[in-house]
Structures are given as structure tokens and as C-alpha cells.
Amino acid sequence: MNAISHTAAIARPIPDERELTAPAVQARKAGTRRRLALGRAIPFGALIGPALLLVIWSGGSVAGLIDPRTLPAPWSVVGTAIDLIATGKLQDHLMTSAWRAAQGLVFGILIGAVLALISGLSRLGEAIIDGPVQIKRAIPTLALIPLLMLWFGIGEGMKVTTIALAVLIPIYIQTHSSLRSIDNRYVELAQTLRIGYGEFIREVILPGALPGFFLGLRFAVTYAWLSLVVVEQVNATSGIGYMIDLARNYGQTDIVIVGLAIYALLGLASDGIVCFFQERSLSWRRTLAD
Amino acid sequence: MASHLGGLSGAPVVRVESLVRRFGPRTILDGLSLGIEKGEFVALLGRSGSGKSTLLRALADLDDKVSGSGRLETPDKKSVVFQDARLLPWKRVLENVVLGLGLPDAAERGRAALEEVGLSGRETAWPVELSGGEQQRVALARSLVRDPELLLADEPFGALDALTRLRMHDLLRQLCARHRPAVLLVTHDVDEAVMLADRVLVLDNGAIAADIAVNVTKPRNHGDRRFGEIRSELLRHLGVETRPALPV
């Protein structure tokens, strides 16, 4: 490859000095050494895949390859969304759903993190807490819905509890494992520096467990939406899930699609928020992606 | 072995008597006695597995899970420099230096310590952004900012390249001359020991096998005749036969 570009340059009638050397040097750089780390990030790379899907969807609709009863065209979905917003229905459902998810998340995160700390920092705490959490983990949260309905009825309490129960598991598991895998060398260091227990927790344990907590948080957000969908379709009179369920009864595919798009946007936005805080809090790390 | 107890002028900073440390059936330290004077720089040599680190960890109160007996007196104000710099990766350089210091002027002191090790301007860097030598200098600053009466160093330059190591020797010598802590430097490098220490101990079979005062004038250099003699003697104690010193 090297030799080819070189001879090609020389074979030209009047080789310019700069042109002669530059491609040859570049070819050597690119050709002979393969970098193991990833290259530079593509700007807005995350949008390319979804944009491609949208193009295929639009193309299929225009060409008549997609039956509108199966999947309405993107523009008719947008039209339906505008109608729903104009009547105020979409906002009402969205607010209800977001409020449920937010409450479930907050309770789940708090409970999961506190349990992880107690269980991670004391043997007794681990003996008491870890077993029940593992048992809870083995039971799919959604399987608990019938029991939760009997306990809490079909109101908001049941919905928020279901979401919180789903959320606390990944928070607990990831935070606990990250906390327990903090390098013993740092514990020794803290001991030689004679720092107090409170400071040890604050300066060594919590920052050390933070990567696990954030990993758990990303799972938690996904689980929160997942549980939300289920509780809203099982028994609800408001919320995005209820809107979708109702539209299914009347065969309104476009409204179903609007609901799904809302779920997608909520999921992406919340994951983006978590990633933003994750990057800010963990800026001390150097990984393959940097 | 009273000779290792120091005691020339007043009470020593470190006093170890009949120290025994066992790991399972193996006795690592077998009735070891040692004294270190105020401001004295002692280097501890020994083959791998001779118990150098066990002794240092005992002095640093890091061996509470190890069985053993003996008397151990060390000052409260002591600090440890490990072979790895052991900086908390999630704390910036200055925060690492003043970690647990708990003084109102901690940041001031931290900056001054960083200046002493030649790292002013890097206060807000993350540890991962520093070279190995720079990280170890931060670790030195973290130790010195605590004004230790005893500095325990466990092969602190072992992971550095030869040139950086020489520079670190100079730095450590200057810092010790200024702050005058008693130092116990565990090392496997005979030249390093002779270069830096007032006294070199050789650990063998869990006890001190040799205790040699390094009476070489400072600044020392490897070409000095007395330097060569001490070096050969130490190597002999370590079980390495040396050829006669190269003719100069």
C-alpha cells in the first residue's frame, strides 16, 4: 500500500514536492499500525441509526409498501400527536405517567442505595439485608402485581410501589458490588492517614461506589419505564399506557405509535440525564471510550 | 541484640523489641529488635521474603490480622509511602495531599508541600493525568504535609524507571534534610540504600543480620572507595558474591 501510493505520485509528470511526500507519509501512518483504542467520536453519531430507520419508514409509506393500518406514515403520526396536544389529552397523560415514574424512581433509588450501604458496610447488615433482596430479585417484579393490588388496591400507591420495587434491585446490586470491590489498598491508605470513619465513608467508600451506583441507575431508569407500562395497562384510567390501551380497543394505530414514541423519548431523555451526571461525577476515569 | 537499639542520644523514636510475626506455620519475624533515632535515616535491605515489608507493616500498624508478639513503640505522627503512589483516583492532586488532614489551613499546607516536590500548578489535576514519578511525588507530599516524626517507605521507587529514580533520590534527600523525620526505607536496591541512609540494616531469617553505619561524606557518589566497600559488604550479607571493585 505504501509502495503503491509512492510510485503513483512519482509517475505523475511534474510531481509537486508536498504532494509527493504527504500521501506516502499518511499511508504509512494509517496502513502499518492499527490503533486498538477507538478513533475519534463521530459528531451526533447516536442520531444516525434512528434517522436511517425514519428514512426507511417514510420511504415505505410513500411507496405504499407499508399498510397504514399496520403502521401509519410518520406524518400522520405527527398529525395525530398535534391533535392530541391541541386537545390537551397528551399533556395530561404524560404528566400522570411522568409523576408516577418519578415517585417510583425516587423511592426505589433511596431505598436501594441505603440498603446497599448498610449491607455493604457491615457484616450484620449484609446478613440481614442481602438474603431478602436476593429473594426479591429472583421474583419478577411484575409477578408481584396481583399481590400488590390486594395490598394497596388499584390506585397510585400500588403503581408507585411496583415501580420502586423494580428500581431498588439494580441500584442495590450494582452499588453493593462496587462498594465491596473497592481496592483494599485504599482502605489501608485511609488507615495510615488516620482518617475518621465518617470521612472514610465520605472520601473513600462513597466515591468508590459511585461508578456502580450510576450503572445501577441506568438500569433503574429503564426498569422504571418498563414497570410503568405494565401498571398503566393493567389497571389505570390515565397515563400514556392507558391511552395506548384505549387506542388499541378502537384500532387507532396512530395513537398507539404516538404513545410508543413518547415512551421512547422519555426513556432516551432520562438515560441522557443519567449519562450527563455520570460523566460529570466520574470525570476522573480514563476508559477505552476516551 | 542491643546494638540495633540505637540509644546514643536520648530516647529513640522507634523501639522494637523481640518482635515476632507469623503467617500460619511460617515465622517471618523471629525476635527482631530495632531502634531508630530522631531524624535518623535507616535503610532496610533483605532478600525477597525476608520480612522487610512485614516489619514495615508492623511499624505502620497495618498488621492487625497477623499473629505475633513483642514490644513495638512508634510515634503517633508517622506516615507511609507505598510502592504504588496509592492516590485516590477520584480526588484531585491537592485533595489527595490533604486527605484527612483536618486543619483549617490544610489547603495552604498542601500547596506548600506540592511546591516542595516541584508540582505547584498541578493542584487540580487528576492522578491519572500524572506520570508515575509525579504520582509518587504527590505521595511524598501527602506524607510530608503531616510533619511525620517517622516516615515509612516501602520500596517507594521500585516501580519507577532508573532516571526518575535518581531524581527521586535527590528529592527525598533534600526533603529529609529539611524536615528531619526518622526514616525507614525498605528497598532491594543496595546502591539506593548506601546513597541515602545513615545506617543500613540487612534482614535475614527474621532478624537483623547486619547493621552498618554509612560513614561516607555527603554528597555521596558511586565512585567513592568507601562507598564501594560498604556496597560489597552489604551484598555479601545478602548472599551475593561480588567481584573486587573495578579498578579505577
Side-chain angles (χ1 to χ4, degrees), chain B residues 124-239:
Chain B
T124 56
W126 296 112
V128 70
E129 295 170 336
L130 304 181
S131 71
E134 286 172 329
Q135 293 188 13
Q136 201 53 288
R137 265 148 60 194
V138 176
L140 266 179
R142 180 179 60 200
S143 279
L144 288 172
V145 82
R146 281 147 230 276
D147 269 323
E149 283 174 59
L150 174 64
L151 179 65
L152 298 163
D154 191 0
E155 303 197 20
F157 314 129
L160 303 178
D161 66 87
L163 281 175
T164 309
R165 198 180 308 168
L166 290 180
R167 272 195 219 109
M168 292 294 286
H169 288 171
D170 279 341
L171 178 65
L172 181 62
R173 200 161 33 205
Q174 285 166 22
L175 292 173
C176 288
R178 203 173 310 145
H179 297 270
R180 304 295 303 158
V183 182
L184 183 72
L185 171 75
V186 167
T187 177
H188 57 266
D189 181 342
V190 175
D191 282 358
E192 182 171 286
V194 181
M195 197 59 135
L196 293 171
D198 302 317
R199 193 149 66 96
V200 183
L201 308 175
V202 177
L203 197 59
D204 197 18
N205 280 330
I208 286 167
D211 180 348
I212 296 165
V214 184
N215 47 4
V216 180
T217 48
K218 294 178 186 173
R220 293 169 184 168
N221 76 74
H222 298 75
D224 189 287
R225 197 176 57 81
R226 181 71 190 127
F227 192 106
E229 286 169 8
I230 294 175
R231 187 173 180 278
S232 304
E233 194 180 344
L234 287 170
L235 284 171
R236 204 171 52 250
H237 282 293
L238 290 165

Side-chain angles (χ1 to χ4, degrees), chain B residues 78-97:
Chain B
K78 63 191 162 196
S79 57
V80 185
V81 181
F82 299 93
Q83 179 167 4
D84 57 310
R86 216 167 280 203
L87 306 177
L88 297 178
W90 50 80
K91 295 251 160 227
R92 291 175 192 274
V93 163
L94 182 61
E95 296 167 333
N96 261 292
V97 171

Side-chain angles (χ1 to χ4, degrees), chain A residues 185-186 188-189 191-195 199 203-204 207-208 283-284 286, chain B residues 57 61-62 76 84 86-91 100 126 128-129 142 146:
Chain A
R185 297 176 313 132
Y186 299 136
E188 266 183 23
L189 172 76
Q191 214 173 320
T192 64
L193 297 179
R194 293 166 170 258
I195 69 181
E199 206 175 1
E203 310 285 355
V204 181
S283 52
W284 47 269
R286 288 287 176 281
Chain B
R57 292 176 66 83
D61 305 326
L62 284 177
D76 275 344
D84 57 310
R86 216 167 280 203
L87 306 177
L88 297 178
W90 50 80
K91 295 251 160 227
W126 296 112
V128 70
E129 295 170 336
R142 180 179 60 200
R146 281 147 230 276

Side-chain angles (χ1 to χ4, degrees), chain A residues 9-42:
Chain A
I10 288 169
R12 267 198 262 157
I14 311 158
D16 178 287
E17 176 96 23
R18 280 215 317 246
E19 276 181 23
L20 184 88
T21 52
V25 169
Q26 269 197 342
R28 186 171 308 147
K29 263 191 183 162
T32 54
R33 255 198 308 152
R34 187 175 170 357
R35 284 189 55 195
L36 293 175
L38 301 174
R40 240 180 308 151
I42 302 170

Side-chain angles (χ1 to χ4, degrees), chain A residues 105 108-109 166-176 178 209-224 271 274 278:
Chain A
L105 262 176
I109 290 168
V167 160
L168 74 85
I169 295 298
I171 294 280
Y172 172 87
I173 299 285
Q174 302 295 342
T175 308
H176 181 264
S178 181
L210 210 53
F213 172 76
F214 273 112
L215 185 61
L217 194 55
R218 291 187 69 178
F219 283 117
V221 169
T222 313
Y223 286 16
D271 196 50
V274 174
Q278 186 176 25

Side-chain angles (χ1 to χ4, degrees), chain A residues 9 20 73 97 130 175 229 241 247 266:
Chain A
L20 184 88
S97 292
D130 198 59
T175 308
V229 173
L266 288 173

